[in-house]
Amino acid sequence: MFISSQIILKFLVFFSTHAFKCTTFCLGAVYSAQGQYAQKLLKDLMENYTSDLRPVEDTDSALNVTLLITLSQIKDMDERNQVLIAYLWIRQVWHDAYLKWNKDDYDGLDIIQIPSSLVWRPDLVLYNKADDDFSGPMDTNVKLRYNGEITWDAPAITKSSCVVDVSYFPFDSQQCNLTFGSWTYNGNQVDITMGNDSGDLSDFVENVEWKLLGMPASKNVIMYGCCPDPYPDITYTVRLQRRSSFYIFNLLLPCFLISFLAPLGFYLPADSGEKVSLGVTVLLALTVFQLVVAESMPPSESVPLIGKYYIATMTMITASTALTIFIMNIHFCGAEAKPVPHWAKVLIIDYMSKIFFVYEVGENCASPSSTSQSSHLSQDDVTHLNHSSQTQTNGKPGNSSKQEEQHTKLVRNVEYIANCYREQKATCAKVAEWKKIAKVMDRFFMWIFFVMVFVMSIIIMGKAP
Ligand SMILES: *[C@@H]1O[C@H](CO)[C@@H](O)[C@H](O)[C@H]1NC(C)=O
Ligand SMILES: *[C@@H]1O[C@H](CO)[C@@H](O)[C@H](O)[C@H]1NC(C)=O
Ligand SMILES: *[C@@H]1O[C@H](CO)[C@@H](O)[C@H](O)[C@H]1NC(C)=O
Ligand SMILES: *[C@@H]1O[C@H](CO)[C@@H](O)[C@H](O)[C@H]1NC(C)=O
């Protein structure tokens, strides 16, 4: 096993060295001739050439530059500073009238690559650049053909300003313009044409946050008031759509869930003492989310959709907390409170409690109907007691006045106790009635706020594409 592998290894080494020798030899033979010609060609071309002047035979005619942009990657979209950082390949093609040669004089050599600094280059710049340093594209090589056609491919990382409209965040789409034009030459000197009516997206690396919808190009010719010459530019519009699932999961869903808790605050029993603190906690949680959103947005006048949702939800929760405080006041109406007004009794206790299914009061105090019954009984008892005392005095005429006095005292005491009891029952009933009113109102507002939260969630979901 070991020997056989060694043999194979030796064979491989032998073969590869010989194959390498052969290729170097054969190719070297081919290129050595062309290499000489290429050097001669470059020497001849550059002898009287200057890269400073526009290479046209007739200075009145325009030089046509064809521009082709390949969008390779969207590196970043900074909404706050309104800057799009993109990685572009910029291809410019033009004809140089002084860099032509006869193929046959140079052994059929028809194309050479030379540093771009040796030849004249159009001074195309990105007009809406947002970069600090004004460096142009990289000094890559240019491809020079025998008929004078020069192709210059240069990669560039561009920072371009872009008007970001976040009113539909996180369901927004953006359009960023990349405007290219010559900085010094006017349209009669250097004319730019579009190589294709859209940017090339075949090598585009997908972005995690943005979906690229297209990159149409358009040519604009601007005539300034000062001068009669046209100034052409080519504008590529990068059309982007935000992938919103990240924001749905991280900003919208938590807000939905939290805001559904807020109406439940009305359902919480008042005696737990947590009603108000639940509302305030929810409000604080929403504030945190709102800060996160506000931090990444430009401080513009158009409030994003999600911001509007937060504001609406926070307003709602503030209102619900305030209402809770009022209802708590009603709930804790003590013994000194006025009796429940008649209209409230009819409206809230008779009708609304049935609509919102509030039946049991859930308090220790007896219900109003049983109170009246017991008070009636106690009155009966008292009359009976009075009656019996009268019969007793009638039955025994020779009784002492002391005994009679004791009887009346007893009756008065029993009456007093009965009254106290009756009064206590009435107070209890009153308190229970207020509590019931508070409970019915709680239930009423709970459903109202549930509907509001639901409608708001539907509205914001309706804006999603
Ligand atoms: C360059 O210019 C010189 C003098 O003007 C001329 O003699 C020479 O032929 C030119 N070379 C080429 C390659 O045109
Ligand atoms: C540039 O293109 C225009 C038309 O597109 C043409 O008339 C003109 O001759 C071209 N210029 C050159 C130098 O080829
Ligand atoms: C972007 O370019 C297009 C086409 O030239 C133009 O209609 C649009 O107004 C430009 N947008 C901005 C924000 O400049
Ligand atoms: C222009 O772009 C389209 C779509 O990207 C492509 O099919 C076509 O070949 C391009 N045309 C040229 C001249 O490059």
Side-chain angles (χ1 to χ4, degrees), residues 419-437:
N419 273 341
C420 274
Y421 185 64
R422 223 177 292 146
E423 229 167 67
Q424 198 197 341
K425 284 273 179 191
T427 312
C428 257
K430 195 169 67 184
V431 168
E433 256 174 4
W434 279 119
K435 281 192 180 172
K436 179 150 188 177
I437 282 183

Side-chain angles (χ1 to χ4, degrees), residues 13-29:
V13 168
F14 173 83
F15 179 78
S16 60
T17 48
H18 277 254
F20 178 68
K21 267 179 195 163
C22 174
T23 47
T24 46
F25 175 74
C26 309
L27 290 178

Side-chain angles (χ1 to χ4, degrees), residues 33 66 97 104 150 155 176 207 247-248 261 279 357 391 401 421 440 461:
T66 307
D104 300 331
I150 297 181
C176 286
N207 188 277
Y247 296 97
I248 290 177
L261 270 188
F357 306 110
T391 48
S401 59
Y421 185 64
V440 171
M461 274 300 170

Side-chain angles (χ1 to χ4, degrees), residues 152-177:
W152 183 27
D153 284 314
I157 290 173
T158 58
K159 272 190 182 179
S160 54
S161 57
C162 173
V163 181
V164 180
D165 178 16
V166 288
S167 16
Y168 286 100
F169 177 85
F171 305 116
D172 54 337
S173 43
Q174 304 294 343
Q175 296 201 343
C176 286
N177 280 356

Side-chain angles (χ1 to χ4, degrees), residues 163 175 177 218 220 235 237:
V163 181
Q175 296 201 343
N177 280 356
S218 65
N220 310 305
T235 301
T237 307

Side-chain angles (χ1 to χ4, degrees), residues 159-384:
K159 272 190 182 179
S160 54
S161 57
C162 173
V163 181
V164 180
D165 178 16
V166 288
S167 16
Y168 286 100
F169 177 85
F171 305 116
D172 54 337
S173 43
Q174 304 294 343
Q175 296 201 343
C176 286
N177 280 356
L178 297 168
T179 304
F180 291 93
S182 170
W183 191 248
T184 49
Y185 296 110
N186 63 37
N188 295 330
Q189 293 164 327
V190 169
D191 194 16
I192 339 170
T193 51
M194 296 186 281
N196 203 339
D197 51 9
S198 84
D200 186 358
L201 304 175
S202 50
D203 291 303
F204 182 67
V205 180
E206 284 294 328
N207 188 277
V208 285
E209 190 182 352
W210 296 94
K211 200 161 113 191
L212 187 65
L213 299 179
M215 193 180 173
S218 65
K219 180 171 174 175
N220 310 305
V221 179
I222 300 171
M223 308 288 290
Y224 290 104
C226 67
C227 350
D229 301 315
Y231 284 88
D233 68 60
I234 291 186
T235 301
Y236 286 87
T237 307
V238 182
R239 294 175 54 225
L240 300 168
Q241 163 122 47
R242 195 189 296 273
R243 298 178 202 270
S244 48
S245 54
F246 173 82
Y247 296 97
I248 290 177
F249 280 107
N250 288 296
L251 292 181
L252 272 184
L253 268 188
C255 178
F256 281 160
L257 298 180
I258 288 175
S259 58
F260 267 105
L261 270 188
L264 279 181
F266 285 116
Y267 194 68
L268 208 62
D271 296 322
S272 71
E274 294 284 329
K275 280 168 89 88
V276 174
S277 52
L278 177 70
V280 173
T281 312
V282 168
L283 202 61
L284 283 180
L286 279 179
T287 313
V288 171
F289 278 113
Q290 216 222 346
L291 275 184
V292 171
V293 171
E295 243 169 37
S296 61
M297 292 291 109
S300 70
E301 251 179 30
S302 64
V303 181
L305 191 66
I306 193 170
K308 281 179 192 157
Y309 177 69
Y310 284 161
I311 292 293
T313 312
M314 281 161 74
T315 314
M316 202 193 70
I317 290 167
T318 310
S320 83
T321 311
L323 275 173
T324 302
I325 293 171
F326 281 114
I327 293 173
M328 292 270 276
N329 257 323
I330 292 177
H331 179 91
F332 288 110
C333 266
E336 308 86 47
K338 279 189 241 165
V340 179
H342 182 67
W343 62 267
K345 245 187 224 174
V346 172
L347 181 71
I348 295 175
I349 296 182
D350 289 355
Y351 291 109
M352 278 170 69
S353 67
K354 289 192 182 87
I355 296 171
F356 296 108
F357 306 110
V358 185
Y359 292 127
E360 87 294 353
V361 178
E363 305 293 340
N364 301 331
C365 300
S367 62
S369 55
S370 65
T371 320
S372 63
Q373 205 185 8
S374 64
S375 69
H376 187 72
L377 268 177
S378 65
Q379 253 170 354
D380 267 6
D381 281 351
V382 173
T383 45
H384 182 73

